[in-house]
Amino acid sequence: TLTAFPMGIISGQGSQSSTLTWSSTNASLCTGTGFTPTGTSGSVTVTPTIATSYSITCTGSGGTSPTAVGVTVTVTPAPIDVFADSYACTAKVLTAAQQTLLTAFDAQLASLGDAYSLYDNRAAVLANNEPAVLQAYLDAYKATNNAKYLQHFVIHGDRVLSHRDDKAGFTNWHGRSEATWSDPYYTKSTSFPEGRAISALIEDGALIGGLAHFAAIVEKDACVQNVKDGLGRTLLSIARGYETEVGKTVTYHSADFHTGTVNSLLIGYYTTPVDEDFITAEVAGKPVAINYQSAMGEALAYLYVATGLTSYRDTAQRLGNHVRLEMQYNSVSDATWWPFWPQMTYWPNYGMTQYSPTSYPDDVSHSVITAEFVRAMYEQNLGVFDAADMSKIAHMYSSLVYNN
């Protein structure tokens, strides 16, 4: 195996090195490309000045390793604090309370630094943490019209893309480098102690959601389209690039998307791949959790807004109808809630559910993913959800969670 940390190097700031670490079993000799390994296991520090790929091939009594493992170290622009306030659009007027909050946010931003953007997703660190950072930058821009937050976003967004399998040289359990962030972490078991790298819908959806949202903002805000990042690229050119890359990830998962009709209502849902029967928490070929569906749904909603391609809108609407059918109403609090796993009591083939009926609602952290999907559909006027739905979800958090 060969790994690099960090996989992203900040140009012009602090240490510009990455540590390559390799290991092998029953090997007598290892040779490298881009570096010289000392022994059959070990580590070495490299200091590339441009994006560089490293590989290693080991030989032993059983022969020579048939393939080398590629690792890409990406050189990225300097951190956000090099960007000054930039109001290409008219600055929004903030109240004193809002300004206090923004000042605190900027202080947190300064201490945040790289956040989780230098981590790859082989231990699920990137997908479980960095999407919230990306969302924070976008929310800050929408609240202020200060384009520096979009410039912040690009640094992190580029790093997220650099960790994708097809960019970083990682392979999934099929041995292929796809347009996904595969992760062996959740499939570790007695049978597979090192895990099998799967491309989880929830992780891929969460990571592309921010990229699609950024593209939607820039495509619709003409006044920021010519703002440049630290490498001299316009935000519009970056957005167009993100649209292409997000589309690749959406296409990868399309094989597991299914459609149907319930009382003339068009629905759609994703299932666990039929050949991934080794995932202990899921059932191969059956619908994945509602928050999984929602993560991809949000990405599709923003991707439609950015590109205008109706296939993305139609898929997002079908997913929205599926999620809406799973929602339950609490009349006491005028609140809406939903379960973790889709129950699909409305579906002719009731055996499609992964787990038996449950009266337990989704947990708070995962439910937020679905709430964000509903918000995206509502704010972008894509139908399915209306103001009343938004109010009931707000009541769910304020009454059923916070006050109970």
Side-chain angles (χ1 to χ4, degrees):
T1 60
L2 175 65
T3 61
F5 185 82
M7 296 194 70
I9 290 179
I10 305 173
S11 177
Q13 168 104 0
S15 175
Q16 298 184 44
S17 64
S18 178
T19 299
L20 302 179
T21 302
W22 70 95
S23 63
S24 61
T25 303
N26 299 324
S28 58
L29 176 67
C30 292
T31 58
T33 300
F35 76 109
T36 302
T38 54
T40 57
S41 64
S43 62
V44 65
T45 299
V46 292
T47 55
T49 57
I50 60 173
T52 306
S53 293
Y54 301 94
S55 62
I56 192 168
T57 302
C58 295
T59 303
S61 57
T64 300
S65 175
T67 58
V69 178
V71 178
T72 299
V73 176
T74 302
V75 179
T76 55
I80 191 61
D81 57 13
V82 303
F83 298 116
D85 290 339
S86 175
Y87 295 99
C89 302
T90 302
K92 291 185 177 180
V93 178
L94 303 181
T95 64
Q98 289 172 329
Q99 185 58 56
T100 298
L101 180 61
L102 184 64
T103 300
F105 176 82
D106 284 338
Q108 178 69 16
L109 191 66
S111 65
L112 188 65
D114 304 318
Y116 299 91
S117 64
L118 298 183
Y119 288 85
D120 59 46
N121 200 47
R122 303 308 272 186
V125 173
L126 186 72
N128 279 310
N129 296 281
E130 190 65 15
V133 178
L134 297 180
Q135 184 65 51
Y137 289 132
L138 298 179
D139 284 343
Y141 169 71
K142 291 194 292 184
T144 63
N145 276 348
N146 191 338
K148 77 172 185 179
Y149 296 116
L150 298 181
Q151 294 169 311
H152 276 282
F153 179 98
V154 168
I155 293 174
H156 286 251
D158 284 356
R159 289 176 184 164
V160 165
L161 268 179
S162 76
H163 297 310
R164 200 172 67 180
D165 288 9
D166 58 340
K167 308 288 187 183
F170 293 125
T171 57
N172 57 25
W173 72 279
H174 293 289
R176 299 191 296 264
S177 289
E178 307 279 8
T180 68
W181 291 262
S182 66
D183 160 28
Y185 183 76
Y186 292 111
T187 60
K188 293 181 179 181
S189 64
T190 303
S191 301
F192 307 104
E194 295 184 358
R196 305 177 82 177
I198 61 170
S199 300
L201 184 75
I202 178 63
E203 295 183 349
D204 288 343
L207 288 167
I208 64 174
L211 302 179
H213 194 174
F214 170 90
I217 289 174
V218 174
E219 290 281 7
K220 297 303 179 183
D221 285 1
C223 51
V224 300
Q225 292 175 353
N226 291 321
V227 172
K228 295 182 179 180
D229 76 334
L231 298 178
R233 303 171 299 173
T234 66
L235 296 188
L236 182 59
S237 68
I238 295 169
R240 296 281 168 83
Y242 286 171
E243 291 161 23
T244 298
E245 297 300 335
V246 170
K248 293 177 182 178
T249 302
V250 169
T251 298
Y252 173 86
H253 286 283
S254 62
D256 298 308
F257 183 71
H258 310 273
T259 61
T261 304
V262 178
N263 297 326
S264 301
L265 188 67
L266 300 177
I267 73 165
Y269 56 90
Y270 288 93
T271 58
T272 300
V274 294
D275 59 355
E276 294 184 358
D277 55 0
F278 51 84
I279 304 177
T280 56
E282 299 179 27
V283 181
K286 292 194 174 184
V288 295
I290 293 174
N291 62 81
Y292 285 38
Q293 317 276 2
S294 299
M296 187 59 75
E298 181 183 4
L300 287 160
Y302 286 124
L303 192 55
Y304 164 68
V305 174
T307 65
L309 295 178
T310 56
S311 60
Y312 296 138
R313 178 202 62 197
D314 295 347
T315 303
Q317 289 175 334
R318 283 177 175 268
L319 285 168
N321 287 332
H322 168 55
V323 170
R324 188 183 179 90
L325 286 171
E326 294 292 335
M327 290 182 167
Q328 306 293 320
Y329 180 62
N330 182 304
S331 59
V332 175
S333 299
D334 187 31
T336 291
W337 65 272
W338 50 90
F340 184 93
W341 295 101
Q343 301 301 292
M344 300 184 76
T345 55
Y346 47 81
W347 197 246
N349 181 4
Y350 186 66
M352 284 298 292
T353 57
Q354 295 229 27
Y355 293 95
S356 59
T358 177
S359 60
Y360 295 105
D362 196 359
D363 62 90
V364 174
S365 60
H366 284 103
S367 71
V368 169
I369 299 171
T370 298
E372 290 285 3
F373 172 38
V374 173
R375 182 182 79 157
M377 294 291 288
Y378 173 69
E379 288 185 345
Q380 302 304 322
N381 298 310
L382 298 184
V384 183
F385 302 102
D386 57 22
D389 293 310
M390 297 297 295
S391 176
K392 291 171 184 175
I393 290 176
H395 293 164
M396 183 263 287
Y397 288 112
S398 62
S399 297
L400 300 185
V401 176
Y402 184 74
N403 290 330
N404 190 353

